[in-house]
Amino acid sequence: MGKPTGFMEYNRATSGCEAPTDRINNFNEFHAPLSRKEQQKQGARCMSCGVPFCQSGQPIKGMVVGCPLNNLIPEWNDLVFNGQWEEAARRLLLTNNFPEFTSRVCPALCEKACTCGLNGDAVSVRENENAIIENAFEIGLIKPHRPSVRTGKHVAIVGSGPAGLAAATQLNKRGHLVTVFEREDRLGGLLMYGIPNMKIEKGIIERRIDIMSQEGIKFITNTDIGKRQKASKLLKDFDAVILACGASNPRDINAPGRDAKGIYFAVDFLKSTTKSLLKSELRDGDFINAKDKNVVVIGGGDTGNDCVGTSIRHGCKSVVQIEMMPKLPDQRTEKNPWPQWPMVCKTDYGQEEAIAVFGHDPRIYETTVKEFIKNEAGELKAVKVVKVKFVTDAETGRRQMQEVEGSEQIIDADIVLIAAGFLGAQSYVTESFGVDVNGRTNVATEPGSYQTSVEKVFTAGDMHRGQSLVVWAIREGREVAKAVDEYLMGYTNLR
Ligand SMILES: Cc1cc2nc3c(=O)[nH]c(=O)nc-3n(C[C@H](O)[C@H](O)[C@H](O)COP(=O)(O)OP(=O)(O)OC[C@H]3O[C@@H](n4cnc5c(N)ncnc54)[C@H](O)[C@@H]3O)c2cc1C
Ligand code: SF4
């Protein structure tokens, strides 16, 4: 621990943030990091407490607390404070293959469990992580390392999201010959074609993939396994196969009028913007455009927020975000104490922008869609919504949703974006490999295992654990790599 009184001497300080009304004029990242000197002071705030919950990644009351990668946070906070940036990067990279991704998009489970956060402001762990890795890139520490010995074993990875990329890095490091198959034209999974550019600029992903290619990993894009290429061929050509295809089945809203023109799934909307942005800075117009449109986003979560931020950047006329659940409290309640994940209302970047542009929070709570209203041409014109309340059934004890009588409302809508979550793995992939799925249509394995019901086929990421986070996908990628290595070699020395 570098500075025993650091947490008392220095206040938490985080990166500067461009004003909402300025940043909506483009799709760039909008945080300006602290100077390295300022960041060092933030490292000094870490108390190196006896039980560092921040790095535990352990479940408490059904919710995981702290970093799922068990990042060595107090250690590298101390190294940051002491200006030992290179050593900090080495320690960080021991547990996290892609800190440049997590330090941009992770909801920072670590900070929610930081002891400093019990009575004050948590240590700015995520930004310390960002400073370490970006400094490492700047000084040329992040270079390709080709393995000196090859095992001669061939591994196919289907899907190039964070789970597939983490597994590829680990297995290549071990000397296996790794080929990653991706059905899209670009690599990165939802990091590329889900999470918008303002949260992670796509050059950040390409920078890492360039290094991975130079390390000997083979990437094949535009190849849909199960459709364009047969699963049986992969099983014949490779010693092991990892399915890391994500949870790509969006949950639909089956209300009357669902066939109206103008209703899209959130990821299709976000992907079309990113594709056009990367291809032509949106000049080709080849994207679902919300300009001058009334937009209704169904789903109050992070994906819904990304749709709000993207619609505003398009220049939408209005935006409403519908959430079925009640608004969360502003502070933790007694039932949700530290270090549990705080169940509190957060106003994210898109909602901040909506407040700045339209003067009010776009979210309406305890509301669901009753009907999509269309004109004679079949175009969406409005959405009929209704208020709901949750009541406990006296017999079963279960909470049930009930409509509030007479609370219907009509909201003008030219575009509806459905951001209601994902249901699991796509069946054409699971069926072509013949792997068992569980009740949630995720690929089934024994608890803590990554081996599917089919010999030499493994799975990881959202396809395995269901819709989750980038940090979990990286963890799953690292864990499946260990399982595959052990399967191929009889033992593993991967950590
Ligand atoms: C809009 C949105 C915003 C999000 N924001 C955040 C965030 O801010 N922070 C966070 O931590 N998490 C966020 N998430 C969740 C996070 O992106 C996912 O949990 C994570 O990307 C899952 O990684 P994965 O590797 O398992 O799968 P994915 O990232 O989904 O990648 C799977 C890849 O497999 C490919 N594929 C699928 N089937 C085939 C096939 N048959 N053949 C070849 N390729 C195939 C897909 O094209 C895709 O590229 C967000 C999700 C969405 C949808
Ligand atoms: S990966 Fe996420 S939870 Fe882990 S240290 Fe980084 S920001 Fe915190």
Side-chain angles (χ1 to χ4, degrees), residues 93 118 147 183 243 266 304 448:
L93 290 163
L118 178 54
R183 66 183 171 191
L243 301 179

Side-chain angles (χ1 to χ4, degrees), residues 344-377:
V344 294
C345 181
K346 122 183 138 170
T347 298
D348 212 333
Y349 75 98
Q351 289 132 6
E352 270 178 9
E353 291 160 3
I355 293 167
V357 173
F358 299 112
H360 57 86
D361 197 313
R363 289 168 288 189
I364 51 172
Y365 296 92
E366 294 173 271
T367 300
T368 192
V369 172
K370 263 200 113 164
E371 188 184 343
F372 298 106
I373 299 167
K374 52 189 176 177
N375 64 14
E376 279 175 8

Side-chain angles (χ1 to χ4, degrees), residues 406 411-412 476:
I411 303 174
D412 288 344
E476 291 246 324

